[in-house]
Amino acid sequence: TLDTACTASRGTSTSTSTSTGTTAVGKRVTKPLGSSGNGALSRWLSAHHSVHYVKTKKKSHLGMACEGSSHHFLWVPPKLMLDFFEVMVHDTTPHWLCEVATEPAFRLFFDVDMPVGNSPSINGSLIERIVQALLVVLAQHGGGGGHGAEGEDEVHDQAHRIIVVGCAGGDASDGVAHGAGYHIHCPGVVVNEHEACSIRSALVGSMVAASGEGEGEGEGGGSGSG
């Protein structure tokens, strides 16, 4: 599956992901954050009353349900965001946090989930094809915006800067098999909800067309399907 934050400007999905491990924050979780590592972030969040469970309240991050924890929200106001990141990167406790898009414009990203059972080589090939297709789509869309860049050369360079992060599939602690998952980040491409959906549709269409061409070339030809 291929998804992006097409409802992010309404605050109903995430704009970027900062997953670095396992989060368990707050008094309602079964495995409190800070039960491993040094727990600095847990203490910081508690001191600033950042953790809550109410969808209608302000939120800057979504805490993922993982390793016995429940879904939860964080509200870190802009004036404390740098302090929050400083504490988080120095905390040895792993965290599963996603930033929530709260502004009309956000940096383009895609969430790519691979089928269970795919080999690492197949996943690598598929991701490479997606990134190559995305570069073409972004060029056709004028870089997707690139707001804030100075000069055409810089806009071009930023639009062609794509970062891929992810994790291998396998059996999770709950015993359920999961496919590999990837996040494709375009840090130099700033879009709104409509632009993000338009780019995603163009990318999916491009991948479908390429798969059809590959099938038509017969055995050994084309890029196949995925």
Short mmCIF file of all heavy atoms in Angstrom, two decimals, residues 186-212:
data_model
loop_
_atom_site.label_atom_id
_atom_site.label_comp_id
_atom_site.label_asym_id
_atom_site.label_seq_id
_atom_site.Cartn_x
_atom_site.Cartn_y
_atom_site.Cartn_z
N CYS A 186 10.45 13.75 1.45
CA CYS A 186 10.92 14.76 0.50
C CYS A 186 11.05 16.07 1.27
O CYS A 186 10.14 16.91 1.23
CB CYS A 186 9.94 14.91 -0.65
SG CYS A 186 9.59 13.37 -1.53
N PRO A 187 12.15 16.27 1.99
CA PRO A 187 12.26 17.42 2.90
C PRO A 187 12.21 18.78 2.21
O PRO A 187 11.90 19.78 2.86
CB PRO A 187 13.61 17.19 3.59
CG PRO A 187 14.37 16.30 2.66
CD PRO A 187 13.36 15.42 2.01
N GLY A 188 12.52 18.83 0.91
CA GLY A 188 12.51 20.10 0.21
C GLY A 188 11.22 20.38 -0.54
O GLY A 188 11.12 21.38 -1.26
N VAL A 189 10.23 19.49 -0.39
CA VAL A 189 8.97 19.65 -1.12
C VAL A 189 7.85 19.91 -0.11
O VAL A 189 7.44 19.00 0.62
CB VAL A 189 8.64 18.40 -1.97
CG1 VAL A 189 7.34 18.59 -2.74
CG2 VAL A 189 9.79 18.10 -2.92
N VAL A 190 7.38 21.14 -0.06
CA VAL A 190 6.32 21.53 0.85
C VAL A 190 5.01 21.62 0.07
O VAL A 190 4.95 22.28 -0.97
CB VAL A 190 6.64 22.87 1.53
CG1 VAL A 190 5.50 23.28 2.48
CG2 VAL A 190 7.95 22.78 2.29
N VAL A 191 3.99 20.93 0.56
CA VAL A 191 2.72 20.84 -0.15
C VAL A 191 1.55 21.07 0.79
O VAL A 191 1.71 21.05 2.01
CB VAL A 191 2.55 19.43 -0.79
CG1 VAL A 191 3.59 19.20 -1.89
CG2 VAL A 191 2.65 18.33 0.27
N ASN A 192 0.39 21.28 0.20
CA ASN A 192 -0.83 21.27 0.98
C ASN A 192 -1.54 19.94 0.72
O ASN A 192 -1.03 19.08 -0.02
CB ASN A 192 -1.73 22.47 0.66
CG ASN A 192 -2.08 22.55 -0.83
OD1 ASN A 192 -2.23 21.52 -1.50
ND2 ASN A 192 -2.23 23.76 -1.34
N GLU A 193 -2.71 19.78 1.31
CA GLU A 193 -3.43 18.51 1.18
C GLU A 193 -3.74 18.16 -0.27
O GLU A 193 -3.52 17.02 -0.72
CB GLU A 193 -4.72 18.58 1.99
CG GLU A 193 -5.58 17.32 1.91
CD GLU A 193 -6.87 17.48 2.69
OE1 GLU A 193 -6.98 18.42 3.50
OE2 GLU A 193 -7.78 16.65 2.49
N HIS A 194 -4.23 19.12 -1.02
CA HIS A 194 -4.59 18.88 -2.42
C HIS A 194 -3.37 18.50 -3.24
O HIS A 194 -3.41 17.56 -4.06
CB HIS A 194 -5.25 20.12 -3.01
CG HIS A 194 -5.53 20.01 -4.48
ND1 HIS A 194 -6.56 19.24 -4.99
CD2 HIS A 194 -4.89 20.55 -5.56
CE1 HIS A 194 -6.54 19.31 -6.32
NE2 HIS A 194 -5.55 20.10 -6.68
N GLU A 195 -2.27 19.21 -3.06
CA GLU A 195 -1.05 18.92 -3.82
C GLU A 195 -0.50 17.54 -3.48
O GLU A 195 -0.04 16.81 -4.36
CB GLU A 195 -0.01 19.99 -3.53
CG GLU A 195 -0.35 21.36 -4.10
CD GLU A 195 0.53 22.46 -3.57
OE1 GLU A 195 1.12 22.30 -2.48
OE2 GLU A 195 0.65 23.49 -4.26
N ALA A 196 -0.56 17.17 -2.20
CA ALA A 196 -0.06 15.86 -1.79
C ALA A 196 -0.86 14.74 -2.45
O ALA A 196 -0.30 13.76 -2.94
CB ALA A 196 -0.12 15.73 -0.27
N CYS A 197 -2.19 14.89 -2.45
CA CYS A 197 -3.03 13.87 -3.07
C CYS A 197 -2.81 13.80 -4.57
O CYS A 197 -2.83 12.72 -5.17
CB CYS A 197 -4.50 14.14 -2.75
SG CYS A 197 -4.94 13.88 -1.02
N SER A 198 -2.60 14.95 -5.20
CA SER A 198 -2.36 14.99 -6.63
C SER A 198 -1.06 14.27 -6.99
O SER A 198 -1.00 13.49 -7.95
CB SER A 198 -2.32 16.44 -7.11
OG SER A 198 -2.01 16.51 -8.49
N ILE A 199 -0.01 14.52 -6.21
CA ILE A 199 1.28 13.87 -6.46
C ILE A 199 1.16 12.37 -6.22
O ILE A 199 1.70 11.56 -6.98
CB ILE A 199 2.37 14.49 -5.57
CG1 ILE A 199 2.64 15.93 -6.02
CG2 ILE A 199 3.65 13.67 -5.61
CD1 ILE A 199 3.57 16.69 -5.10
N ARG A 200 0.46 11.98 -5.16
CA ARG A 200 0.28 10.55 -4.90
C ARG A 200 -0.46 9.87 -6.04
O ARG A 200 -0.07 8.78 -6.49
CB ARG A 200 -0.48 10.33 -3.59
CG ARG A 200 -0.64 8.83 -3.25
CD ARG A 200 -1.50 8.61 -2.04
NE ARG A 200 -2.87 9.01 -2.25
CZ ARG A 200 -3.85 8.82 -1.36
NH1 ARG A 200 -3.57 8.28 -0.19
NH2 ARG A 200 -5.08 9.19 -1.62
N SER A 201 -1.53 10.48 -6.53
CA SER A 201 -2.29 9.89 -7.63
C SER A 201 -1.43 9.74 -8.88
O SER A 201 -1.47 8.71 -9.56
CB SER A 201 -3.52 10.76 -7.95
OG SER A 201 -4.42 10.78 -6.86
N ALA A 202 -0.62 10.77 -9.16
CA ALA A 202 0.26 10.71 -10.32
C ALA A 202 1.31 9.61 -10.15
O ALA A 202 1.65 8.90 -11.10
CB ALA A 202 0.93 12.05 -10.54
N LEU A 203 1.82 9.46 -8.94
CA LEU A 203 2.83 8.43 -8.68
C LEU A 203 2.25 7.03 -8.83
O LEU A 203 2.85 6.16 -9.47
CB LEU A 203 3.40 8.61 -7.26
CG LEU A 203 4.42 7.56 -6.80
CD1 LEU A 203 5.61 7.49 -7.74
CD2 LEU A 203 4.87 7.87 -5.37
N VAL A 204 1.06 6.82 -8.25
CA VAL A 204 0.41 5.51 -8.39
C VAL A 204 0.12 5.22 -9.85
O VAL A 204 0.36 4.10 -10.34
CB VAL A 204 -0.89 5.46 -7.56
CG1 VAL A 204 -1.68 4.18 -7.86
CG2 VAL A 204 -0.57 5.54 -6.07
N GLY A 205 -0.37 6.21 -10.59
CA GLY A 205 -0.65 6.02 -12.00
C GLY A 205 0.60 5.68 -12.78
O GLY A 205 0.58 4.82 -13.68
N SER A 206 1.70 6.33 -12.45
CA SER A 206 2.96 6.05 -13.12
C SER A 206 3.44 4.63 -12.86
O SER A 206 3.90 3.93 -13.77
CB SER A 206 4.02 7.05 -12.63
OG SER A 206 5.30 6.73 -13.15
N MET A 207 3.30 4.18 -11.59
CA MET A 207 3.72 2.82 -11.25
C MET A 207 2.84 1.78 -11.94
O MET A 207 3.33 0.75 -12.42
CB MET A 207 3.67 2.63 -9.74
CG MET A 207 4.60 3.53 -8.94
SD MET A 207 6.34 3.20 -9.26
CE MET A 207 6.49 1.55 -8.58
N VAL A 208 1.53 2.03 -12.00
CA VAL A 208 0.61 1.10 -12.67
C VAL A 208 0.94 1.02 -14.15
O VAL A 208 0.98 -0.07 -14.74
CB VAL A 208 -0.84 1.54 -12.45
CG1 VAL A 208 -1.79 0.72 -13.33
CG2 VAL A 208 -1.23 1.39 -10.98
N ALA A 209 1.19 2.17 -14.77
CA ALA A 209 1.52 2.19 -16.20
C ALA A 209 2.81 1.43 -16.47
O ALA A 209 2.92 0.68 -17.44
CB ALA A 209 1.63 3.63 -16.69
N ALA A 210 3.81 1.63 -15.62
CA ALA A 210 5.09 0.94 -15.78
C ALA A 210 4.92 -0.57 -15.63
O ALA A 210 5.54 -1.35 -16.35
CB ALA A 210 6.10 1.47 -14.77
N SER A 211 4.08 -0.99 -14.70
CA SER A 211 3.84 -2.43 -14.51
C SER A 211 3.16 -3.02 -15.73
O SER A 211 3.51 -4.11 -16.18
CB SER A 211 2.95 -2.65 -13.27
OG SER A 211 3.60 -2.23 -12.11
N GLY A 212 2.20 -2.29 -16.31
CA GLY A 212 1.52 -2.77 -17.50
C GLY A 212 2.46 -2.90 -18.68
O GLY A 212 2.41 -3.86 -19.44
#
